[in-house]
Amino acid sequence: MLKFIKEIGWRGLISNKTKGTSEILKRKVNLFSGFDPTSSSLHIGNLISIILSIHFKNYGHNVFFLLGTSTSLIGDPSGKKGERSLIKSEENYLYSRKIRKQLFKFSKKFQLPIMNNNWNKKLKFIEFSRDIGKYFSINYMLNKDSVKKRLRNLSFTEFTYQLLQAYDFYYLYKKKKCVLQIGGSDQWGNITCGIELIKKKQKQTTQVHGLTHPLLTKSDGTKFGKTENGENIWLDPKLTSPYKFYQFWINLSDVQAKKLIKILTFSNKISISKIITLHYRAPFLRILQKKIAKITTILVHSKKTFTDIYNINKILFNPNLKNILTVLSKKKLLLIKKYIPCKNIILNDTKVNILDILIIDNFICKSKTEALRKIKFHSLLLNMNPFISDYVITKKDFLHKHFILIKKGKKNFYLLYFKYEV
């Protein structure tokens, strides 16, 4: 099992680990990774924890996903500049169902059981204070990074979060014999809190450990995982379309891709070394980015989804797209409609000004000013043709009587689907 530590080490999947972790991993162990449902979807930052869990499973360990249905009602202060808004019980129920559904896909494929930490809901305040709180000094709790960085605006509610997560570790140690917790580097303080509780409660030399992975960050160290306009990249296809998900990885810089090819794929060291060499022989082909995009899209969505998106990209990024559109089948257009941003527009006139269309619901442009600027510099194309600001759309512009493709900038595409009122 020492081979396993070396494996996740060269991949860059270890941020910190307790002394003795390598030793206990010489044998098969039980461990868990936690996910708090504080929103309706997991995001690509959570993907590293999932991938690390799969690596542990592939090396013969028993891994549990812990769904923090009760801890999410409190909110983890780790990595937050201000106090997290408390979610309502009905939101908690809805989010928990959605996150469980997302985790289930990985659970089913890789045999990673899912548990809810509803045992925390059974705790009574006085009993919790006496049975758990007495093992931690205020000084110990204040020294946690998540507390120190937020001390001036940290509520008592958030202050107790570390104890609740510590209790999760203790509970799973007792009930499931879990001796290791894994998570992002921002969870180190919470994980060590759990280790401290187990050792004190057991009153014996107990071998429990923690291992964290780096957070998803850019080459400059800042948090990574959002698009250029600041949108999170979610695993839920309703929040981030599979096409946008795929394109996010395609648009990685070479520096980011060289790092993430090790973290986000399961290719071995020799294969990755070859891919990196091939990439730098012809960086414009974006071999690294395409490999990451393929693996992550298949993992999160499906092989069919990847194939569809791959075929769409071959069409949209073909240098001869203008001519291709004139012969493109309706079936292909409907496939494109399924994945790229599309707007249905009902018309009561046979002619309509392009500016009015571009700013509908801020779908393509946020204002006429933006639209006029982009039209002037040919940053907007209609069916791959430049146009003037007072251009009037008529039926002759439609592909298969209903469609118009708008390209914005170098890599953003939008489909407009027109229907006339009868």
Side-chain angles (χ1 to χ4, degrees):
M1 287 297 184
L2 280 175
K3 182 183 176 183
F4 173 64
I5 288 293
K6 290 180 179 179
E7 170 75 12
I8 60 175
W10 77 260
R11 287 183 179 277
L13 281 168
I14 300 177
S15 174
N16 210 342
K17 59 184 174 68
T18 51
K19 186 178 180 181
T21 301
S22 301
E23 194 64 27
I24 67 156
L25 290 177
K26 288 180 179 179
R27 65 180 190 278
K28 182 177 179 178
V29 302
N30 293 354
L31 63 135
F32 73 99
S33 178
F35 303 85
D36 275 1
T38 52
S39 63
S40 62
S41 173
L42 298 172
H43 52 76
I44 58 171
N46 300 122
L47 205 51
I48 300 184
S49 290
I50 292 170
I51 287 172
L52 181 56
S53 297
I54 294 169
H55 278 299
F56 270 98
K57 182 64 181 180
N58 288 343
Y59 269 79
H61 299 291
N62 295 319
V63 188
F64 298 94
F65 284 151
L66 179 63
L67 187 61
T69 48
S70 59
T71 42
S72 60
L73 287 167
I74 300 299
D76 186 0
S78 302
K80 299 295 178 183
K81 293 180 180 179
E83 184 164 359
R84 185 196 296 269
S85 298
L86 294 176
I87 62 174
K88 298 176 181 178
S89 296
E90 53 268 29
E91 289 177 318
N92 179 255
Y93 175 74
L94 179 63
Y95 293 167
S96 296
R97 287 187 63 185
K98 289 188 174 182
I99 301 299
R100 172 177 275 276
K101 186 177 179 181
Q102 288 182 333
L103 288 174
F104 182 73
K105 181 175 182 177
F106 305 105
S107 170
K108 183 180 180 181
K109 185 175 181 179
F110 299 100
Q111 288 79 55
L112 304 168
I114 306 171
M115 295 180 292
N116 287 350
N117 65 353
N118 287 328
W119 48 78
N120 278 326
K121 292 181 179 179
K122 298 176 182 178
L123 294 171
K124 295 180 180 179
F125 182 73
I126 299 299
E127 293 174 356
F128 182 75
S129 298
R130 288 173 61 87
D131 297 341
I132 307 300
K134 71 176 182 178
Y135 292 105
F136 298 95
S137 68
I138 291 296
N139 188 55
Y140 176 86
M141 295 175 71
L142 288 175
N143 277 322
K144 297 297 181 184
D145 283 343
S146 60
V147 173
K148 283 195 293 186
K149 293 176 181 178
R150 288 269 319 281
L151 196 55
R152 290 189 176 184
N153 64 350
L154 186 74
S155 68
F156 173 77
T157 303
E158 288 183 306
F159 187 57
T160 62
Y161 182 90
Q162 58 185 301
L163 299 186
L164 287 170
Q165 194 176 119
Y167 183 73
D168 283 341
F169 199 168
Y170 171 72
Y171 185 93
L172 291 174
Y173 169 75
K174 293 285 287 182
K175 299 294 183 180
K176 298 292 183 180
K177 298 181 180 179
C178 286
V179 295
L180 176 66
Q181 181 179 357
I182 62 174
S185 58
D186 58 345
Q187 294 300 305
W188 181 250
N190 294 327
I191 292 172
T192 54
C193 201
I195 293 170
E196 185 77 5
L197 176 62
I198 294 169
K199 288 182 175 179
K200 287 184 175 179
K201 286 280 282 184
Q202 293 304 110
K203 297 180 181 178
Q204 62 187 42
T205 305
T206 306
Q207 291 296 311
V208 287
H209 296 275
L211 183 147
T212 59
H213 60 74
L215 300 179
L216 210 54
T217 57
K218 298 177 184 177
S219 53
D220 62 1
T222 57
K223 201 165 183 180
F224 176 73
K226 295 186 177 182
T227 59
E228 290 175 359
N229 60 11
E231 295 177 352
N232 260 320
I233 302 300
W234 304 99
L235 304 195
D236 186 340
K238 292 180 181 178
L239 297 178
T240 298
S241 72
Y243 183 80
K244 184 183 285 187
F245 181 89
Y246 178 86
Q247 288 300 132
F248 177 81
W249 304 113
I250 289 291
N251 293 321
L252 292 175
S253 70
D254 287 347
V255 173
Q256 291 166 345
K258 186 178 178 180
K259 176 183 176 182
L260 293 177
I261 190 73
K262 302 172 186 176
I263 292 174
L264 295 172
T265 75
F266 297 94
S267 302
N268 61 40
K269 198 170 186 178
I270 294 173
S271 296
I272 287 176
S273 180
K274 288 180 179 178
I275 292 169
I276 292 173
T277 300
L278 282 173
H279 174 86
Y280 281 103
R281 284 178 184 169
F284 63 92
L285 294 177
R286 307 189 75 74
I287 294 171
L288 280 175
Q289 289 88 341
K290 289 176 181 176
K291 179 70 172 179
I292 295 169
K294 178 180 179 178
I295 296 297
T296 54
T297 303
I298 291 173
L299 181 66
V300 173
H301 297 293
S302 70
K303 190 171 183 179
K304 182 185 181 305
T305 298
F306 160 72
T307 302
D308 285 348
I309 293 170
Y310 179 78
N311 289 332
I312 288 171
N313 263 18
K314 283 204 300 185
I315 295 170
L316 295 181
F317 291 95
N318 190 308
N320 197 32
L321 177 57
K322 182 178 177 178
N323 293 327
I324 289 173
L325 287 176
T326 62
V327 294
L328 195 65
S329 69
K330 187 175 181 180
K331 184 178 179 181
K332 289 283 179 66
L333 273 170
L334 288 172
L335 179 65
I336 293 172
K337 181 177 184 288
K338 181 179 176 181
Y339 289 102
I340 74 168
C342 181
K343 185 75 174 174
N344 295 324
I345 300 170
I346 305 295
L347 297 177
N348 54 17
D349 194 351
T350 56
K351 297 179 180 180
V352 60
N353 189 281
I354 185 65
L355 270 181
D356 296 328
I357 297 299
L358 292 173
I359 62 173
I360 290 178
D361 299 328
N362 298 330
F363 180 61
I364 298 175
C365 295
K366 293 181 179 179
S367 66
K368 281 192 176 182
T369 303
E370 181 195 354
L372 288 168
R373 184 177 67 252
K374 290 190 177 297
I375 291 170
K376 180 180 178 180
F377 293 104
H378 294 172
S379 294
L380 284 170
L381 300 176
L382 187 152
N383 294 338
M384 297 308 291
N385 295 304
F387 53 90
I388 57 177
S389 59
D390 58 354
Y391 185 79
V392 175
I393 295 174
T394 61
K395 289 185 177 181
K396 67 178 175 60
D397 294 304
F398 296 156
L399 306 169
H400 291 282
K401 299 181 180 180
H402 294 286
F403 300 94
I404 284 179
L405 183 72
I406 299 290
K407 184 179 183 182
K408 182 181 178 181
K410 293 181 179 180
K411 54 193 177 186
N412 296 307
F413 290 91
Y414 303 85
L415 202 61
L416 302 173
Y417 181 80
F418 293 87
K419 288 184 71 175
Y420 283 98
E421 287 185 339
V422 179

